[in-house]
Amino acid sequence: MKYRIISRIAKFLLMSLTGIIIFLLVYPIFSYIKTPVKRVDIQEETRNSKGIDWAFSHYKIKDSKDFTENSISDLVIIDDGKVFEKDNLSGIDHNKLILVSLFHQFIDQPYNVDTLNESTGLNWTGYMGSTFQDLGDLNEVPQSWINEYETITPEKWAFYGEGIVIRGPQNIMVLRKGIDYDKGIVVKYNEKSIPYYGTFELLNQDGRAEASFEIDLSEESRKNFEALGISESFPAVVNLNWNLYQGYYFAGNFFDYNPGKFFQNDWIVPFMQKKIIYDTFKGEECFWKFSIPFLSRIIDEPLKKRATDQVKFEFVTKGNIIYEVDSNNKQVPFFSKGVNIGAALPGKTFTEFPKDKALYLNWFAQISDLGYNTVRIYTLLPPEFYQALYEFNAANNEPLFLLQEIWPEEHPEEGNYLADNYNSIYKKEIEMDIRAIHGDIYIPERAFRAYGAYLYDVSPYILGYLVGRELEPDEVEATDKLNIGYLYKGDFIFSEQDATPTESWLAASCDYALQVEAELYDNSPLVGIVNWPTLDTIVHDSEWNSEGDKSLQYNDKISVDINHIAIHEEKVNGFFGAYHIYPNYPDFMNNDTQYDAYQDDEGRFRYGGYLEAFMKQHKKYPAIVAEYGVSTSSVTAHFSPDGLNHGGNSEKEQSQMIARMTDAIVREDYAGAVVFEWIDEWAKKTWSTENYMIPYERHVLWHNVLDPEQNYGLVAVEAKPTTFETLYESTEIDSAIEKVEVGQNASYLTIKLTFNEPANDVNDVNGANDVNDVNDVNIGINLYDETPEYIDEFVLKLSNSPKLLVNPGYNWVKGSYRSYTSIKSSYEEMIQMVNKSNLSKEGVYTEEKVVNLSELSIGDFDSPQNSIMVTDRQLLIRLPYGLIGMSDPSSNQILWDSNKFIPTGSDQINTVRTDVVKLRIVNNLEKAIQIEYPLNAWEIPDYQFRLKNNVIN
């Protein structure tokens, strides 16, 4: 009986054990089958972590191995930076992402670090760290780290025991447990402190961090951290909630632990999370207590819709007024007082945009301090611009609003704006730009356009989108002829029955912009077209020929009329026109007698007369003067009868003229005034200088101070001060000239003469006409000595009214580019025609106007127009490169061509390299001083910013 009971118990235990074993074998399969399939898109080569493999299997995730712009998924896991190296970021579009410890993979690749910072909105300190069980184990610590430590310190690696190594730019730090820190590095999450072992990255503090790393440092180590600009507490996991994508960045290798297949069962996970003893150095505890619960939470989170978390500013138009809708839904008149930002820095073309958030932030602060409320940009700029605008406006009660132009390509095929391919490209650009404004697109790298990850939603600050550009009359004419009868009927904007095909194209483009805004963001911003006086609807009698053929008059042969465009008022908040109106171009601005009667406080003001006449025909919508201003170039390229010349204005005059024009714009009921422009741009050109800057592609490397277009900025972008080289010192006591120094920068060749005796009245700079009676000093300037004879291309005469005379064979203004032997009395002035003569339909004759480039002004060098400055015993002469025939000072090229002609395009004149400028300095009492100055060349220009004098707000 006793043995029977024992036998039954044994059978029961055996059967129970068998059942448990069967259950343990069968349940995982049943459990796995019941687990719903999760969709995750991930490239095969990007999955390095074994813990992620385990999670794929545990959560029954489908791996499509396809991370492209066409993949739409619940979750994308990326733990290999190769995705960024391959510029495959288009796949982040509206996905949910987990980015795992990517920064340190690019520790020696600044470009990819910048890309990752931009794509995440994070800011990596440049430092990463790793824990080690034994610092003395050379199989555990990478030999390259040891070599790096011994190179930087330089000390021998003599560490042992548990520790942490921190690496950064040109720096490496070793922390020893029990000496430099106490317990170790932990992850702080939900008021828990979980030990962490492995690699980690030190990100800058971020308010979106949902978990953080902390190291209990000693006092000395804490000070060392502070000296490096890093903290003992830094983000471990950051929530990345953007319109472009949502997700998380894990700043450590949280998924390196490999649990094994046995732990796939659902019931084992909570058991492992409550386990008492963990494998210390393999990251087991952190994996079960933090990584898996956090990953599970992410998987279950729904993909959110596009949204903005900012205050929304709303604008509407009625009549010729733009209104801002305030918090009480009251419409308050809004006047856009702004400045245009062209962002081409020296050495860069218009499409090589600066990727410098700090630069933009500084500009915004200055613009706001001057009292402006709007910035206008011509095309999509890099993501850093919009991040800076977002951050600036978030930190300031008075935001800067944005006029975002959406730039269409130039030179459409056959001049046809309505060509299918041209329109297709422009529509794509419209959609990309709008999505970028909403922080909702990654644009792959592309030529001549901005690209990158646009994460920051600045749509609340959009005053309006500007569609189009200054359209060329020939292209308007071609479009209208090729598309006769074309009209556009859109859901938001349409063309009236009498609209031209070009006007209908503008209506269609504006309508498409509002379609994108409505469909993607349920939004209705203002939209406007860009135009200029060349295409106004006014008939200008000064633009005519005797046969009355307006088709020959470029500036008055065809029109684009905003009044022919209509809106569905119930769907559209507003529509407006943005116009580029300058006081000195086209010529009808000053030659048409109909504007003569206009007066302001300073007298006749033809610019105001044009503004008045223009608004009389602008009947339906608000008009913004989106470009106006004057240039501070050293010479004038076009005269205005009211003094608002194209160049040749002092900085004080620039300020006063802008104020006068602004007053007229306000007086004539425009809705805004946007000054051209914020900074001087060396990439620009004027008809009077363009064809003499050779090779043309290098003209961005130097500053042509003669060129009005390069000097419109409120901020001077100028070459850094000249460094002089002493080329002559007198050894004679009675010598009048004690020393001669020569130097150059990116704007000028400068000669400095030091005299033994002070000159008469030399301190009276403002009243000085006679330079200083220094014995009638003349300076011969020889650019290229091809013949045995010494031939001067220029002679600088410094007595009384100073002049720079030119060798008759080298008078480039007349089309001569090769000097010849000539007596000095035959040297001539450089006279350039800047205004053509004109005969109006009324019979009013306007004379041709010229500028004498040889006449040099005396005064302080703070004024761009001055070429000679006199101090107590010194005479400084700065010569603009363009004035003395240097076609490219950055490569030492000068104009040198035996053919005599006036160029009609760029790079037509032959040039030659010259490495030395020879100077012959002569006065009446001494023998000539002959010196040679070796010219410098450069590929990167040296420059600085300066707010121009008397800039007013």
Side-chain angles (χ1 to χ4, degrees):
M1 186 69 178
K2 177 180 177 182
Y3 293 107
R4 186 180 299 168
I5 294 172
I6 292 173
S7 174
R8 288 178 177 176
I9 291 172
K11 288 180 180 179
F12 175 77
L13 291 174
L14 182 60
M15 291 177 64
S16 298
L17 182 61
T18 302
I20 290 171
I21 292 172
I22 293 172
F23 175 80
L24 291 175
L25 292 173
V26 173
Y27 179 77
I29 299 173
F30 176 78
S31 174
Y32 182 78
I33 292 172
K34 294 291 288 182
T35 302
V37 174
K38 304 281 184 181
R39 171 117 190 250
V40 173
D41 289 340
I42 181 171
Q43 284 185 312
E44 185 173 19
E45 67 267 25
T46 69
R47 191 169 68 244
N48 292 328
S49 302
K50 296 177 181 178
I52 292 178
D53 284 333
W54 180 91
F56 266 50
S57 180
H58 175 74
Y59 290 108
K60 202 174 180 183
I61 291 172
K62 178 183 178 183
D63 181 2
S64 72
K65 300 177 184 175
D66 175 32
F67 183 53
T68 69
E69 60 182 333
N70 297 318
S71 67
I72 301 174
S73 66
D74 291 333
L75 184 64
V76 178
I77 300 174
I78 304 172
D79 71 339
D80 192 323
K82 290 179 181 178
V83 170
F84 293 86
E85 289 178 344
K86 293 179 180 179
D87 197 25
N88 203 18
L89 285 171
S90 53
I92 69 180
D93 195 349
H94 298 127
N95 282 316
K96 186 163 59 174
L97 307 181
I98 295 177
L99 307 178
V100 183
S101 193
L102 301 179
F103 277 110
H104 76 274
Q105 299 177 38
F106 301 134
I107 195 165
D108 297 318
Q109 302 174 45
Y111 171 81
N112 285 320
V113 170
D114 290 344
T115 300
L116 190 53
N117 275 326
E118 175 191 303
S119 305
T120 58
L122 296 172
N123 187 6
W124 181 39
T125 64
Y127 288 90
M128 55 85 63
S130 189
T131 62
F132 294 98
Q133 185 174 354
D134 184 1
L135 292 169
D137 186 348
L138 301 186
N139 292 320
E140 184 181 1
V141 182
Q143 184 63 46
S144 60
W145 290 27
I146 296 173
N147 295 341
E148 186 177 345
Y149 176 85
E150 293 181 347
T151 300
I152 292 174
T153 44
E155 296 176 0
K156 286 296 183 183
W157 186 275
F159 302 102
Y160 58 90
E162 186 176 338
I164 300 172
V165 179
I166 307 289
R167 296 178 64 225
Q170 303 300 313
N171 208 310
I172 188 165
M173 182 189 308
V174 179
L175 305 177
R176 298 155 296 174
K177 185 173 182 180
I179 300 174
D180 301 304
Y181 68 94
D182 189 10
K183 296 179 182 178
I185 183 170
V186 298
V187 177
K188 298 281 287 188
Y189 175 65
N190 284 345
E191 299 183 353
K192 296 178 182 178
S193 294
I194 306 166
Y196 177 84
Y197 295 91
T199 300
F200 56 90
E201 299 163 340
L202 287 84
L203 304 180
N204 280 308
Q205 293 293 341
D206 195 302
R208 301 164 298 169
E210 297 202 8
S212 62
F213 288 120
E214 290 189 5
I215 310 175
D216 49 345
L217 295 172
S218 67
E219 186 62 30
E220 183 179 352
S221 295
R222 187 178 294 109
K223 290 179 180 178
N224 291 336
F225 266 50
E226 290 175 357
L228 296 175
I230 56 180
S231 171
E232 61 185 330
S233 177
F234 44 94
V237 179
V238 181
N239 187 331
L240 307 177
N241 188 16
W242 305 106
N243 281 346
L244 177 56
Y245 66 88
Q246 69 182 71
Y248 296 86
Y249 187 87
F250 285 74
N253 291 328
F254 290 97
F255 302 99
D256 273 357
Y257 177 73
N258 183 18
K261 294 183 179 179
F262 174 76
F263 293 91
Q264 287 292 341
N265 300 294
D266 284 342
W267 59 269
I268 207 74
V269 175
F271 172 78
M272 293 301 295
Q273 290 171 349
K274 292 179 170 49
K275 186 179 174 185
I276 298 174
I277 300 175
Y278 293 94
D279 190 333
T280 304
F281 293 101
K282 291 185 178 179
E284 183 186 28
E285 183 176 3
C286 191
F287 181 82
W288 291 114
K289 286 187 174 182
F290 174 74
S291 306
I292 291 304
F294 207 105
L295 179 61
S296 180
R297 169 192 141 184
I298 294 171
I299 289 172
D300 292 335
E301 284 180 350
L303 192 63
K304 297 174 184 176
K305 293 183 178 180
R306 302 175 175 98
T308 179
D309 58 356
Q310 301 175 32
V311 175
K312 173 119 175 73
F313 294 89
E314 184 178 2
F315 296 94
V316 298
T317 68
K318 290 183 180 178
N320 62 353
I321 300 174
I322 294 175
Y323 294 90
E324 181 182 353
V325 182
D326 67 15
S327 56
N328 297 318
N329 209 33
K330 182 181 178 181
Q331 295 181 0
V332 181
F334 177 85
F335 185 84
S336 174
K337 185 179 181 183
V339 62
N340 287 274
I341 294 181
L345 298 179
K348 304 295 182 182
T349 66
F350 295 119
T351 57
E352 294 177 294
F353 312 109
K355 293 188 171 187
D356 186 348
K357 184 182 74 171
L359 175 71
Y360 295 127
L361 281 171
N362 183 52
W363 287 356
F364 294 153
Q366 289 180 295
I367 290 168
S368 182
D369 288 344
L370 289 173
Y372 294 106
N373 60 24
T374 304
V375 293
R376 183 268 188 102
I377 55 177
Y378 294 89
T379 187
L380 189 69
L381 292 184
E384 290 81 0
F385 174 87
Y386 302 95
Q387 181 181 358
L389 184 65
Y390 176 98
E391 292 181 3
F392 178 82
N393 283 344
N396 288 274
N397 293 328
E398 298 295 331
L400 285 173
F401 295 103
L402 179 63
L403 283 171
Q404 173 70 57
E405 186 166 349
I406 305 175
W407 186 268
E409 294 292 341
E410 298 182 44
H411 312 301
E413 187 177 354
E414 297 184 320
N416 185 10
Y417 301 128
L418 282 163
D420 289 342
N421 187 55
Y422 186 80
N423 258 307
S424 175
I425 292 171
Y426 191 40
K427 281 188 173 183
K428 185 177 180 180
E429 187 65 32
I430 289 171
E431 182 174 349
M432 284 194 296
D433 288 15
I434 289 174
R435 288 185 59 189
I437 290 296
H438 285 267
D440 190 26
I441 193 170
Y442 174 79
I443 301 176
E445 185 170 351
R446 54 186 182 155
F448 312 118
R449 294 275 187 168
Y451 57 88
Y454 292 83
L455 303 179
Y456 291 85
D457 183 3
V458 297
S459 62
Y461 307 111
I462 279 287
L463 173 58
Y465 292 109
L466 300 180
V467 170
R469 52 175 168 81
E470 287 184 353
L471 304 179
E472 297 296 332
D474 293 340
E475 294 172 352
V476 173
E477 193 173 50
T479 300
D480 292 349
K481 287 181 179 178
L482 291 169
N483 301 278
I484 295 173
Y486 173 77
L487 295 172
Y488 177 77
K489 303 299 180 185
D491 293 334
F492 300 92
I493 296 180
F494 59 96
S495 53
E496 300 277 18
Q497 197 64 33
D498 52 356
T500 66
T502 297
E503 292 158 355
S504 297
W505 169 72
L506 288 169
S509 300
C510 291
D511 185 71
Y512 185 72
L514 291 180
Q515 285 180 43
V516 174
E517 278 281 356
E519 291 172 7
L520 295 183
Y521 309 106
D522 193 24
N523 197 29
S524 180
L526 302 187
V527 65
I529 64 169
V530 178
N531 206 347
W532 57 326
T534 292
L535 297 175
D536 67 17
T537 61
I538 303 171
V539 176
H540 299 282
D541 287 343
S542 64
E543 296 278 340
W544 81 294
N545 60 50
S546 58
E547 298 181 6
D549 186 359
K550 281 288 187 181
S551 68
L552 300 177
Q553 305 303 115
Y554 179 85
N555 286 313
D556 202 33
K557 68 178 181 178
I558 200 162
S559 298
V560 170
D561 189 352
I562 194 174
N563 298 303
H564 293 160
I565 298 175
I567 64 174
H568 294 289
E569 294 184 3
E570 72 282 2
K571 295 181 180 180
V572 178
N573 278 348
F575 189 63
F576 65 97
Y579 302 94
H580 302 169
I581 306 177
Y582 289 91
N584 41 56
Y585 180 84
D587 275 336
F588 63 64
M589 196 76 63
N590 298 302
N591 291 340
D592 274 18
T593 57
Q594 61 179 308
Y595 309 133
D596 283 357
Y598 192 91
Q599 299 279 322
D600 66 1
D601 292 342
E602 298 181 42
R604 186 189 69 183
F605 195 37
R606 299 185 187 194
Y607 181 74
Y610 178 81
L611 292 175
E612 179 184 47
F614 183 86
M615 278 304 289
K616 286 181 179 178
Q617 52 86 48
H618 200 276
K619 301 173 183 176
K620 293 169 62 174
Y621 307 110
I624 291 176
V625 179
E627 276 190 22
Y628 70 109
V630 292
S631 168
T632 60
S633 60
S634 64
V635 297
T636 298
H638 205 76
F639 284 107
S640 159
D642 293 336
L644 285 78
N645 301 327
H646 190 206
N649 307 293
S650 70
E651 294 178 3
K652 183 177 181 180
E653 288 171 334
Q654 179 194 43
S655 174
Q656 293 169 337
M657 292 172 183
I658 288 174
R660 189 181 184 190
M661 288 187 284
T662 304
D663 289 343
I665 291 167
V666 173
R667 186 163 52 247
E668 297 309 322
D669 294 328
Y670 287 78
V674 186
V675 176
F676 183 84
E677 63 179 327
W678 179 238
I679 64 168
D680 292 337
E681 290 186 282
W682 298 6
K684 288 187 172 292
K685 41 82 176 176
T686 307
W687 66 270
S688 59
T689 62
E690 176 182 7
N691 298 334
Y692 302 99
M693 298 187 290
I694 304 169
Y696 183 73
E697 65 180 12
R698 292 183 62 89
H699 87 278
V700 299
L701 296 173
W702 59 285
H703 183 202
N704 194 337
V705 296
L706 304 179
D707 193 310
E709 291 295 324
Q710 291 191 22
N711 297 278
Y712 264 91
L714 300 181
V715 172
V717 183
E718 55 194 8
K720 284 194 174 179
T722 302
T723 300
F724 289 95
E725 181 178 345
T726 300
L727 299 177
Y728 169 84
E729 286 189 275
S730 173
T731 58
E732 300 177 13
I733 298 175
D734 59 347
S735 173
I737 299 175
E738 179 182 295
K739 183 164 58 173
V740 179
E741 300 167 85
V742 183
Q744 65 179 135
N745 59 15
S747 300
Y748 301 98
L749 176 72
T750 303
I751 304 165
K752 183 195 292 185
L753 304 180
T754 302
F755 297 92
N756 278 312
E757 297 291 337
N760 299 329
D761 299 323
V762 292
N763 292 315
D764 185 14
V765 174
N766 293 324
N769 290 316
D770 186 340
V771 173
N772 60 14
D773 296 331
V774 287
N775 302 315
D776 293 333
V777 174
N778 294 332
I779 302 177
I781 303 172
N782 175 239
L783 298 177
Y784 184 65
D785 189 9
E786 189 183 53
T787 65
E789 297 181 78
Y790 194 98
I791 301 175
D792 293 328
E793 275 67 54
F794 298 92
V795 171
L796 179 60
K797 300 180 73 66
L798 294 174
S799 61
N800 296 319
S801 298
K803 288 185 178 181
L804 181 71
L805 302 178
V806 66
N807 185 302
Y810 202 71
N811 195 339
W812 58 269
V813 176
K814 291 184 177 180
S816 298
Y817 316 104
R818 190 160 184 156
S819 54
Y820 51 76
T821 303
S822 176
I823 59 174
K824 294 297 184 280
S825 61
S826 69
Y827 276 54
E828 57 193 26
E829 296 179 341
M830 293 176 282
I831 309 295
Q832 188 173 49
M833 188 272 292
V834 291
N835 290 49
K836 294 180 180 179
S837 61
N838 178 265
L839 181 65
S840 74
K841 187 177 181 180
E842 301 161 323
V844 177
Y845 178 72
T846 303
E847 290 185 348
E848 172 185 287
K849 292 181 175 61
V850 299
V851 62
N852 190 338
L853 298 177
S854 288
E855 293 179 347
L856 303 182
S857 297
I858 305 167
D860 195 287
F861 280 179
D862 285 345
S863 173
Q865 288 72 46
N866 293 332
S867 296
I868 297 173
M869 185 169 73
V870 184
T871 62
D872 185 30
R873 291 195 304 120
Q874 286 185 337
L875 186 68
L876 280 84
I877 306 129
R878 62 179 184 184
L879 300 173
Y881 292 116
L883 190 61
I884 58 174
M886 295 197 72
S887 67
D888 176 32
S890 71
S891 63
N892 298 342
Q893 296 291 314
I894 63 169
L895 302 173
W896 199 257
D897 198 321
S898 57
N899 298 304
K900 185 173 181 177
F901 66 102
I902 300 296
T904 57
S906 60
D907 293 333
Q908 292 181 346
I909 306 171
N910 290 321
T911 66
V912 68
R913 180 183 175 93
T914 183
D915 294 317
V916 174
V917 170
K918 298 178 180 180
L919 302 177
R920 183 161 46 180
I921 304 168
V922 181
N923 65 38
N924 292 339
L925 301 180
E926 300 181 55
K927 63 181 180 181
I929 300 170
Q930 298 192 44
I931 59 176
E932 294 186 0
Y933 174 71
L935 290 168
N936 300 309
W938 62 86
E939 295 298 323
I940 300 175
D942 231 359
Y943 64 92
Q944 61 191 16
F945 296 108
R946 174 182 58 82
L947 194 64
K948 289 182 179 177
N949 294 330
N950 297 296
V951 169
I952 60 176
N953 56 29

